[in-house]
Amino acid sequence: FIHVNAGGRVVTANRGTLTYQKGTMLEALFSGRWDKKIQRDGFGHIFLDVNPTCFQEVINYLSEMRHSSEEKVSQCWNADEERQLLIAHMMSYFGIEHSLSSTDTSSTTTQTMENDLQSISTRQISNNNTEN
């Protein structure tokens, strides 16, 4: 299991769930390639500056997709429209294919994801150097 500090709340998920959709930022982030470079909190949990409720919903969605069909997942979706848009935006940012919203949200390209991950890593190194 992987423990993620999502905006101050620890979310625990299976690596297989986090990496379920190949080619996404989540898959790249939790594949193990970035483990030594990713920002962590004081307890060693990977830190993501995201809305914790929405992040948990993304994990729930991926878990359901992993164990069910997209049609069944869509039928079970019960978030209100505003929260559904926030979750859909977060999914699009992470490059996760979804059918939660009719809003046209394009997937993030792999190169953009790699650049974002590199930027996160660079900020962490910069922050660590400033703290010392």
Side-chain angles (χ1 to χ4, degrees):
F1 291 100
I2 296 176
H3 304 287
V4 180
N5 178 338
R9 186 169 77 201
V10 176
V11 176
T12 302
N14 184 296
R15 186 180 299 267
T17 298
L18 293 166
T19 61
Y20 175 69
Q21 283 194 4
K22 304 304 177 206
T24 65
M25 183 186 291
L26 280 185
E27 190 260 338
L29 189 62
F30 296 106
S31 67
R33 293 182 301 213
W34 296 93
D35 282 354
K36 294 184 191 260
K37 295 182 180 182
I38 194 73
Q39 184 175 4
R40 295 185 180 267
D41 67 11
F43 298 101
H45 303 128
I46 292 172
F47 178 78
L48 297 178
D49 189 14
V50 297
N51 178 303
T53 302
C54 290
F55 188 73
Q56 181 65 63
E57 292 292 343
V58 169
I59 301 308
N60 293 347
Y61 179 83
L62 289 172
S63 180
E64 287 297 321
M65 285 296 296
R66 189 172 174 209
H67 302 290
S68 189
S69 69
E70 186 168 350
E71 180 180 316
K72 289 182 182 179
V73 171
S74 295
Q75 291 171 356
C76 296
W77 195 256
N78 61 2
D80 61 52
E81 188 173 331
E82 183 178 338
R83 192 169 79 183
Q84 192 171 349
L85 288 172
L86 291 170
I87 295 165
H89 177 73
M90 184 178 289
M91 287 183 161
S92 294
Y93 173 76
F94 285 124
I96 298 168
E97 294 178 22
H98 60 86
S99 60
L100 299 181
S101 171
S102 60
T103 306
D104 181 23
T105 51
S106 59
S107 294
T108 307
T109 64
T110 301
Q111 184 60 47
T112 301
M113 291 185 288
E114 293 290 337
N115 289 343
D116 286 349
L117 290 170
Q118 186 63 43
S119 174
I120 290 168
S121 175
T122 301
R123 278 187 301 216
Q124 179 189 1
I125 291 168
S126 175
N127 288 341
N128 288 344
N129 289 340
T130 309
E131 292 172 1
N132 293 333

